[in-house]
Amino acid sequence: MTGRGSNDDPGPWRRGPRRQGDAPADPAARGERTPPRGDRAPWPGGRTQGRDDRPAPRRDGPRPASTGRTDTSALEAPPPPRGGRGGELRLHGFNAVQAVFASRPEAIRKVYLNQSRIPHLQPLLKWCVAQRVGYRVVTDDELGKLAASAHHEGVVADVLRPPPLSLADWLPTLEPGPQCLLWLDGVGNPHNFGAILRSAAHFGVAAVLLAQTSTLSLSGAAARVAEGGAEVVPLVRLGPTAESIPMLRAAGFELAATVVREGRPLFAATASQRLVYVLGAEGEGMDAELAAACDLRVSIPGTGAVDSLNVASATAVLLAHWAATRGN
């Protein structure tokens, strides 16, 4: 990194020239040193907990104070509550941040990065300069405080959450033909949620459905584990179950409750062309009334050496089977 500013000093926020398109080849070389825009209000919080599927410790860190100088108090402030449905989200992890830049660059509000990541994030930094979005080069320790995690992979970003989607608004936009959806009932661990989103993106799941009463929402930890999948798979908020199930059936979907025992063996039949897998929390399982309302029950057969698969692992198996049979 050359030009103004020391590589060893986090320095003030950097912004680009006032005229868009007049960005230097190296944004760190000529960016103006101006304070960032003011902080935005923290998002409301909420948690979903199952007996054996409790959320992991907080991974999202606080937003820094909006000053033009290095202010370590922002790195030491207590984290905002997790689970809000609006406002900003603090992401960490290289693929998570790159995925937002590829799909929703206008959502990026602030970027923090380690000096070693500058060569890998040149397109993002040039965009920040052109759009006057603040970025700051910081140490690994500071990134760890910002992300509240050692697994920041050299970059942290504050981004706007995508607007919430309702089933009534989203369902008519779904393309015809084979489609698979995931209905999460009680899943709360952010690492499981992130792994589910990663598998969903890999196998082409159209959406993840969240119950009306669920407080589950994307967190920085979930987005990192998803490795970019959180930007590919939309999250759709359901209405009352008694209204949501008929809407899904009217769109040609069959609902399959995934259970540990006494379900149809997964590999014994071809999966439906349009299918909703309903997944419950590992310890408590899904709501009994919801399971009874589904069209069928499926179980993943195994040796019996362990009681069942982790919900994220089970999701990968279910989706692999659907992907292998959907064309038949």
Side-chain angles (χ1 to χ4, degrees), residues 223-238:
R224 182 191 66 80
V225 174
E227 295 285 357
E231 289 297 314
V232 178
V233 184
L235 303 181
V236 176
R237 183 67 58 175
L238 298 171

Side-chain angles (χ1 to χ4, degrees), residues 13 30 49 63 74 79 83 111 133 138 160 176 214-215 219 264 270 301 313:
W13 287 86
R30 290 171 50 195
Q49 298 194 38
R63 290 187 298 279
V111 177
V133 171
V138 298
L160 293 178
S214 174
T215 58
S219 67
R264 178 189 302 178
T270 299
S313 299

Side-chain angles (χ1 to χ4, degrees), residues 195-218:
I196 288 170
L197 289 172
R198 184 174 183 176
S199 294
H202 180 78
F203 289 109
V205 167
V208 169
L209 310 179
L210 302 178
Q212 184 182 38
T213 57
S214 174
T215 58
L216 181 64
S217 66
L218 188 66

Side-chain angles (χ1 to χ4, degrees), residues 6 64 91 123 202 292:
S6 167
L91 297 179
H202 180 78

Side-chain angles (χ1 to χ4, degrees), residues 20-46:
Q20 183 172 344
D22 193 23
D26 181 353
R30 290 171 50 195
E32 291 183 13
R33 298 190 170 201
T34 58
R37 287 192 291 268
D39 279 316
R40 294 157 179 82
W43 50 91

